[in-house]
Amino acid sequence: MKIQSYTYPKSSFLSAEKDMNIIVDRIMKNERLKKMLFYTSRDCLDRPKLTPDETCSLFGKQIKIVPKLYVDGSVLNYMIISFDNFTRNGNNPEFRDNIIEFDIICHFDQWHMKDFELRPYKIAAELDVMFNDKQLTGIGKLEFLGANQIILTEEYAGLCVMYQAIHGEEDKKH
């Protein structure tokens, strides 16, 4: 007779770390997105690909998974990835819904790129291509919920782009 000494917890909160891993992996592969965050010039998309060291420098400084924005003296572009609004799924109480938010924060001096291109909207477009109607760990695909303008200070503003995710039994797979 086998006695089970440990039961792996079943919780939709555990899927956040799995989803974050997938999200960060996709961001690491998107050269356009990395350039728009790293380079502050209007011609950021025409600049060279980021080196592995430059890509690594983005995480923790400009791409954040903890919702704390520390703005030092340099004028940078930021993205905060967060999981919010965990609720019981209306169709199946075994599942939980949550919202994945991408806060895109840019200094007003960095908004303009070429002609009528605005950096926060170009970054949002890259995120939308990577995540709308795409699978993460949950059941079904991410569904675009909306985007809201964020005005933080007299110098920084951007967009909050939101996607709906549904999680269930996959949380116990590890």
Side-chain angles (χ1 to χ4, degrees):
M1 178 170 154
K2 183 177 180 181
I3 298 174
Q4 187 172 355
S5 61
Y6 178 77
T7 304
Y8 193 76
K10 177 184 171 189
S11 173
S12 60
F13 294 106
L14 296 174
S15 58
E17 64 191 60
K18 297 174 192 174
D19 285 349
M20 185 65 75
N21 189 40
I22 294 168
I23 290 167
V24 167
D25 186 54
R26 289 184 189 171
I27 289 170
M28 292 282 281
K29 293 175 182 173
N30 188 316
E31 294 300 326
R32 293 173 51 82
L33 178 60
K34 292 187 301 186
K35 285 180 181 183
M36 286 188 281
L37 290 169
F38 185 80
Y39 295 114
T40 57
S41 61
R42 289 179 177 231
D43 67 343
C44 60
L45 294 175
D46 299 328
R47 304 288 301 265
K49 281 177 63 171
L50 273 64
T51 66
D53 287 342
E54 289 170 334
T55 296
C56 287
S57 75
L58 287 173
F59 291 93
K61 186 173 182 181
Q62 290 169 267
I63 299 173
K64 298 180 167 285
I65 62 172
V66 175
K68 181 177 182 180
L69 184 62
Y70 174 75
V71 179
D72 59 12
S74 52
V75 180
L76 301 174
N77 303 298
Y78 303 92
M79 180 170 50
I80 302 169
I81 307 163
S82 57
F83 296 80
D84 196 12
N85 198 27
F86 286 80
T87 59
R88 176 180 260 174
N89 181 278
N91 296 326
N92 187 338
E94 292 292 316
F95 299 144
R96 287 188 185 161
D97 299 347
N98 75 284
I99 296 173
I100 301 173
E101 295 180 353
F102 297 90
D103 293 331
I104 304 158
I105 310 296
C106 301
H107 191 280
F108 282 120
D109 291 344
Q110 310 302 320
W111 271 56
H112 288 283
M113 289 170 53
K114 294 180 181 177
D115 296 324
F116 295 102
E117 294 178 353
L118 298 175
R119 189 180 308 258
Y121 292 93
K122 293 285 282 186
I123 292 171
E126 290 296 322
L127 292 170
D128 200 45
V129 168
M130 290 189 316
F131 298 109
N132 187 43
D133 206 27
K134 301 292 188 301
Q135 182 81 35
L136 292 180
T137 61
I139 62 169
K141 296 179 179 178
L142 291 182
E143 180 181 328
F144 175 74
L145 284 182
N148 296 313
Q149 191 174 59
I150 303 170
I151 300 175
L152 293 181
T153 68
E154 294 175 2
E155 297 178 332
Y156 286 91
L159 293 172
C160 174
V161 182
M162 298 167 284
Y163 294 92
Q164 178 81 35
I166 302 173
H167 292 95
E169 286 295 314
E170 78 287 340
D171 301 325
K172 66 182 182 179
K173 294 177 185 171
H174 58 283

